Amino acid sequence: MGKKDKNKKKGKGAEKTAMKTDKKLAARQKKMLKKLEETDIVEVIGRLEEEEARIKTVSEEICVSAPTPRSNFTLVAHPEKEELILFGGEFYNGQRVCVYNDLFFYNVNKNEWKQIRSPSGPTPRSGHQMVGVASNGGQLWLFGGEHASPSQLQFYHYKDLWMMSLKTRKWEKITTSNGPSARSGHRMTVSKKKLFIFGGFYDNNQSYNYFNDVHIFSLESYTWLQVYIEGAIIPPPRSGCCMASAPDGNILVWGGYSKEKIKKNIDRGITHTDMYFLTPNKSAQSSTKYKWITTKTNGYKPLPLSSVSCTSAPSAMVYSFGGVMDVDENEEDLHGQFGNDLLALDLNSLTCHLIDTFKKKKSQNKHPKMFVDETLAEAEDTINTTSTDGIFTVKVAGPGGSASTLPEVPSFFPNYKSDSLPSPRMNAGLCVCRGVLYVYGGLFEEDNKQYTFNDLYALNLHKPDEWKVIIPNNMNVHDWIDSESSETDDGYDCEDSGEETKSESEMDTE
């Protein structure tokens, strides 16, 4: 009895210590915000909602140029027209971040961008999810995301659900109970008149939490359904995974990213390589009973990348592009290797293919990437074994969530050429419209500099031999401001998000 009470007291002590730590971090952040003269982010969100409410009519404006550089936005195909639809995202110039809520329609045949402004729409956000459905003349469904303050010391996570009628171009906020908690980095797909949401994370700059919960919204009843997960298999929590719906109603979840604490104030990222299907229990009377099953692909073995772009296409095909692999230089520093591989996954046969769009001479020698694949396969199959050269290590969470360490590999992308199209990147926009795959934007890091793109490419999936350049890549499209230098106008401020012009002091709060 005494021992039980003693353990109980220990638990309370640990809880108090954690609370004290959070309070100290909050106090420190408050001082920093005061020094920067940055407004509380909740107040900022309130102002942004008031600005949206002041818009009374729908307006369309033909754009002189493409949308500004951004990442973590959404790009979807119009369900009935040959158009691409882009919403939101973020841009970081080295000193401050801008978050957008602008909505663009790209007419493929006219090669024309239009910006749409609608009354009382979603406030600026990134890391959200949006899908298009053909119901009632076409609809856009959007959930969640986050808003970061310019200093990135504050984050606001959304849990709101929106629907835009593509007929009227008006947004409607869907208010109903039992929805997911606030989050970003989650994934959403549509299947059989239901929205499926999985994973994501919540981070307030003091603590973080990754999710592995499933939420289902009925597009018929406009309600969140009670979901029952049966069985012992559940994917580990993650964000930024690939998610797609199969014709039989199964939902694919593949890969993703999460973090774990390894020391005080030191976190380590985990790149997940496992794959699951969320399958409905067809024998149960309730249509909301599901179970997870693990699965593997045949054919090409993908590299363990995070921040991969993913999209679905007809005939049960799923395409993924790009991503980044974090290689540890030591416990605190990471070196990112970016890729531009384009993969095609057939959900019927679960066969994965690498789509090589570059004309290369045939060679009898082993493909350099096969060596990397074999190395990764050996590492994932090894349990409780550590292999490192003391310089580079990669943490991979494969089937069962086990972590492995890989031997040194100078480059995981030995075939990359400087003229490759599109160039390596992460968090790009990817969608398929009328048999054509489109890639837009995203970001690339080199040393301490971050390049954010607004280029656009198209690939005919019926004959995927060459990319068509619609908007070329310009590595100097914006300036990068080093932390030591003074802030200058780089041409891309938060005003470009469609917000009204503000005074200099007011701009700093948003």
Side-chain angles (χ1 to χ4, degrees), residues 155-370:
F155 293 92
Y156 184 94
H157 292 264
Y158 294 97
K159 58 177 180 179
D160 47 356
L161 179 67
W162 294 83
M163 186 274 289
M164 168 177 266
S165 167
L166 291 174
K167 273 185 177 180
T168 64
R169 304 289 176 90
K170 289 184 179 180
W171 288 104
E172 177 186 355
K173 189 175 183 179
I174 309 299
T175 305
T176 182
S177 58
N178 302 320
S181 60
R183 66 190 65 196
S184 64
H186 52 284
R187 290 297 178 258
M188 181 168 73
T189 189
V190 60
S191 176
K192 301 186 183 300
K193 299 183 179 180
K194 294 183 181 73
L195 298 178
F196 288 78
I197 293 175
F198 171 77
F201 71 96
Y202 178 91
D203 188 342
N204 62 6
N205 231 359
Q206 297 170 32
S207 60
Y208 58 82
N209 186 29
Y210 283 80
F211 305 111
N212 61 348
D213 48 353
V214 177
H215 298 269
I216 301 176
F217 182 81
S218 171
L219 296 177
E220 296 175 309
S221 64
Y222 277 33
T223 58
W224 292 102
L225 305 178
Q226 184 69 46
V227 182
Y228 301 94
I229 302 296
E230 302 175 326
I233 298 175
I234 298 178
R238 67 194 64 198
S239 69
C241 59
C242 293
M243 189 176 184
S245 56
D248 58 4
N250 292 338
I251 305 297
L252 174 75
V253 168
W254 175 17
Y257 178 85
S258 62
K259 289 193 299 185
E260 66 175 6
K261 285 197 174 295
I262 56 173
K263 286 184 181 180
K264 185 179 179 181
N265 300 327
I266 297 178
D267 301 315
R268 169 172 286 178
I270 301 174
T271 300
H272 298 273
T273 61
D274 43 1
M275 180 178 289
Y276 302 84
F277 271 116
L278 180 69
T279 65
N281 187 339
K282 297 177 181 179
S283 61
Q285 293 182 350
S286 170
S287 60
T288 58
K289 289 186 176 181
Y290 292 82
K291 68 176 180 179
W292 290 102
I293 60 172
T294 58
T295 186
K296 292 183 178 181
T297 59
N298 306 306
Y300 180 78
K301 189 173 182 62
L303 295 170
L305 302 168
S306 60
S307 300
V308 176
S309 303
C310 179
T311 188
S312 299
S315 303
M317 295 299 295
V318 177
Y319 295 90
S320 67
F321 174 79
V324 62
M325 180 186 297
D326 288 338
V327 181
D328 294 340
E329 295 183 6
N330 54 53
E331 288 183 339
E332 298 184 32
D333 297 324
L334 291 175
H335 171 71
Q337 292 193 10
F338 289 75
N340 64 340
D341 283 349
L342 176 62
L343 306 182
L345 174 64
D346 187 334
L347 292 179
N348 291 321
S349 63
L350 280 182
T351 302
C352 186
H353 302 278
L354 172 66
I355 300 179
D356 193 347
T357 57
F358 310 110
K359 296 177 181 178
K360 300 187 177 102
K361 294 180 180 180
K362 292 184 179 180
S363 174
Q364 300 299 322
N365 297 329
K366 180 180 285 190
H367 194 291
K369 285 190 178 179
M370 291 178 66

